[in-house]
């Protein structure tokens, strides 16, 4: 299952709006609160996450590491890194779904 399908299956439209307003950091996605869950999500979607990072960074004229450096919060371990990238990928997917809905 890709990230878009996961988001559509696990996060309701109203919860997606909450993700867009507050980010995953506020705990609005119960499946992605704990490191064990965000790390498992990252490990399952690692290639897709890195493809998303590459595309987003390229569109912004940045390197992937410049993009990641712009994320909020402290990244001081592998688990924190995976957590940040998981939350970013889910938030970005929610944003893309909302943009598609707004354009319709």
């Amino acid at each position: 299952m890709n990230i878009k399908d996961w988001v559509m299956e696990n996060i309701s439209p109203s919860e997606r709006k909450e993700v867009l307003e507050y980010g995953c950091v506020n705990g609005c996605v119960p499946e992605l609160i704990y490191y064990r869950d965000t790390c498992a999500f990252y490990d399952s979607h690692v290639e897709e996450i890195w493809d998303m990072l590459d595309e987003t960074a390229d569109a912004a004229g940045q390197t992937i590491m410049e993009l990641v450096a712009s994320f909020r919060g402290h990244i001081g371990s592998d688990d924190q890194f995976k957590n940040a990238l998981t939350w970013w990928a889910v938030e970005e997917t929610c944003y893309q779904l909302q943009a598609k809905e707004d354009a319709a």
Side-chain angles (χ1 to χ4, degrees):
M1 174 182 304
N2 65 28
I3 295 172
K4 178 183 173 188
D5 291 341
W6 187 92
V7 166
M8 292 178 68
E9 184 175 306
N10 291 282
I11 306 174
S12 71
S14 63
E15 290 170 326
R16 279 182 262 180
K17 288 182 181 181
E18 192 173 345
V19 168
L20 292 176
E21 189 168 344
Y22 302 108
C24 290
V25 70
N26 82 339
C28 61
V29 182
E31 297 87 353
L32 298 176
I33 293 175
Y34 301 103
Y35 284 145
R36 71 176 177 264
D37 299 325
T38 57
C39 289
F41 184 96
Y42 175 89
D43 291 342
S44 294
H45 298 93
V46 63
E47 289 181 31
E48 186 178 2
I49 290 171
W50 280 90
D51 288 345
M52 290 173 66
L53 286 166
D54 185 49
E55 184 178 311
T56 302
D58 189 51
Q62 297 178 306
T63 66
I64 291 173
M65 287 299 115
E66 288 170 332
L67 175 64
V68 172
S70 73
F71 294 176
R72 312 173 246 152
H74 174 74
I75 298 175
S77 71
D78 190 46
D79 285 353
Q80 289 173 339
F81 183 73
K82 289 178 176 185
N83 183 76
L85 294 186
T86 292
W87 283 355
W88 173 83
V90 169
E91 291 166 5
E92 182 66 19
T93 301
C94 288
Y95 171 78
Q96 291 170 3
L97 289 169
Q98 186 63 47
K100 197 178 257 187
E101 184 179 308
D102 290 347

